[in-house]
Amino acid sequence: MQGFNRTTVVTQFILVGFSSLEELQLLLFVIFLLLYLTILMANATIMTIICFSRTLHTPMYGFLFILSFSESCYTFVIIPQLLVHLLSATKTISFIACATQLFFFLGFACTNCFLIAVMGYDRYVAICHPLRYTLIMNKRLGLGLVSLSTVTGFFIALVATNLICGMHFCGPNRVNHYFCDMAPVIKLACTDTHVKELALFSLSILVIMVPFLLILISYGFIVNTILKIPSAEGKRKAFATCASHLTVVFVHYGCASIIYLRPKSKSASDKDQLVAVTYTVVTPLLNPLVYSLRNQEVKTALKRVLGMPVATKRPNKKLQS
């Protein structure tokens, strides 16, 4: 990457991680391993169901498929290395490996933020313009939105990584985190980082607040449309459709805001690791669980894929007579 500083003295970092919990390293390894396997299996299940069920070949589930794949890659960037370090006495990572991890972590994280916003727009079109849904959310637009989210996400990650790697690291190399994240790495820089931190803060606003505000605007129109539905059952179904997406939205953007919408890297603390566990482990696990457990279409498709009997609505006897 062009941003690497040739005068950098530090060639490797030490990921402090959960070193203070030395007696719990094995227990933490088992917990994170089980969570990681659950994340992989849950997301793989979602992708398999969507792939093999024709009833789920719609834009909404296409976006969910991409999100599940991105979440799996996102956790792959972080958790395997964490598991190795929990069982290892040496918790070092080379400068280049740290930069690589940072780039892919930010790339998938930014992509996920944009994808969740795209899913919010999809819900807006489906509820506010149901008769024009298939016309508006066609295959071309869906692929365009996914491509734009991915390209924009990784471009922002490249810019952020170059800004950080261009800093001068000359002394302390203990990263107070279990992976190479922005704030803990910036904190080790030997030069004035004020301008670059301001640039990174601006990027954080672009990635977190802009999609979040667009989602809120979309749901403002959605709620207004739902309230106009005459039947209580219709309102209930419409709100239930949006509930799963809103759950993911508030958890995802809420945790990201706590960590990244702070102008000073000096504000990084040990508590950040607990919040980081939420958005690096809990959220990727939450997505498939929320979208599957709260979605009748996914549950029905899963039963069909597994060959289980699916309950069908019986015809009304009055109509038969």
Side-chain angles (χ1 to χ4, degrees), residues 77-88:
V77 173
I78 299 169
I79 300 182
Q81 183 190 60
L82 169 62
L83 294 173
V84 172
H85 283 180
L86 285 172
L87 296 181
S88 174

Side-chain angles (χ1 to χ4, degrees), residues 154-169:
F154 277 90
F155 176 74
I156 291 173
L158 181 62
V159 172
T161 304
N162 276 314
L163 285 173
I164 295 171
C165 292
M167 297 176 183
H168 186 63
F169 298 93

Side-chain angles (χ1 to χ4, degrees), residues 60 119-128 133 219 222 241 245:
M60 182 179 81
M119 294 173 75
Y121 174 70
D122 175 79
R123 291 298 82 210
Y124 159 74
V125 177
I127 293 176
C128 298
Y133 177 74
Y219 273 94
I222 288 172
T241 302
H245 183 248

Side-chain angles (χ1 to χ4, degrees), residues 9-306:
V9 175
V10 173
T11 58
Q12 65 179 15
F13 293 109
I14 299 173
L15 296 175
V16 176
F18 301 100
S19 298
S20 59
L21 304 173
E22 188 174 352
E23 68 282 358
L24 299 176
Q25 297 290 293
L26 184 58
L27 176 61
L28 289 173
F29 173 82
V30 173
I31 292 173
F32 280 111
L33 177 61
L34 291 176
L35 287 173
Y36 182 51
L37 293 176
T38 304
I39 290 170
L40 293 181
M41 288 189 292
N43 281 294
T45 301
I46 288 290
M47 290 188 287
T48 302
I49 294 170
I50 294 173
C51 186
F52 287 98
S53 179
R54 289 183 173 273
T55 59
L56 301 184
H57 289 180
T58 63
M60 182 179 81
Y61 293 107
F63 296 139
L64 180 57
F65 181 96
I66 300 298
L67 180 64
S68 295
F69 176 76
S70 181
E71 292 280 20
S72 299
C73 296
Y74 172 76
T75 55
F76 178 75
V77 173
I78 299 169
I79 300 182
Q81 183 190 60
L82 169 62
L83 294 173
V84 172
H85 283 180
L86 285 172
L87 296 181
S88 174
T90 58
K91 307 179 188 299
T92 58
I93 182 172
S94 69
F95 187 85
I96 294 177
C98 182
T100 303
Q101 183 184 56
L102 179 63
F103 168 70
F104 282 104
F105 163 72
L106 292 176
F108 286 115
C110 294
T111 299
N112 292 344
C113 283
F114 295 136
L115 283 175
I116 293 173
V118 168
M119 294 173 75
Y121 174 70
D122 175 79
R123 291 298 82 210
Y124 159 74
V125 177
I127 293 176
C128 298
H129 305 282
L131 299 180
R132 298 173 57 200
Y133 177 74
T134 54
L135 182 64
I136 297 174
M137 291 302 297
N138 52 54
K139 187 176 181 179
R140 182 177 178 181
L141 179 61
L143 290 175
L145 290 172
V146 169
S147 300
L148 182 62
S149 299
T150 305
V151 172
T152 305
F154 277 90
F155 176 74
I156 291 173
L158 181 62
V159 172
T161 304
N162 276 314
L163 285 173
I164 295 171
C165 292
M167 297 176 183
H168 186 63
F169 298 93
C170 59
N173 67 338
R174 294 174 64 84
V175 179
N176 188 26
H177 216 311
Y178 57 88
F179 69 97
C180 290
D181 201 358
M182 290 197 298
V185 174
I186 293 173
K187 195 174 182 180
L188 302 178
C190 300
T191 54
D192 181 22
T193 61
H194 178 73
V195 175
K196 290 187 176 182
E197 282 189 81
L198 187 59
L200 292 169
F201 181 65
S202 300
L203 289 176
S204 298
I205 292 176
L206 173 64
V207 172
I208 298 172
M209 289 308 299
V210 172
F212 183 66
L213 290 175
L214 290 175
I215 291 172
L216 290 183
I217 292 172
S218 296
Y219 273 94
F221 287 109
I222 288 172
V223 170
N224 183 57
T225 301
I226 291 176
L227 293 177
K228 294 178 181 178
I229 297 176
S231 67
E233 180 65 17
K235 290 180 181 179
R236 188 192 65 79
K237 287 183 177 180
F239 276 120
T241 302
C242 301
S244 56
H245 183 248
L246 279 176
T247 302
V248 173
V249 165
F250 285 111
V251 173
H252 185 93
Y253 290 101
C255 293
S257 299
I258 292 172
I259 298 297
Y260 298 106
L261 293 186
R262 297 182 301 191
K264 294 284 187 180
S265 64
K266 306 302 179 184
S267 60
S269 65
D270 294 336
K271 294 180 181 179
D272 287 354
Q273 293 193 55
L274 298 177
V275 181
V277 168
T278 303
Y279 66 78
T280 58
V281 180
V282 177
T283 303
L285 179 61
L286 179 68
N287 288 348
L289 294 180
V290 167
Y291 281 114
S292 59
L293 294 178
R294 295 184 61 90
N295 191 305
Q296 188 59 45
E297 286 182 312
V298 174
K299 288 189 286 186
T300 301
L302 176 59
K303 289 179 180 179
R304 284 175 177 159
V305 170
L306 295 176

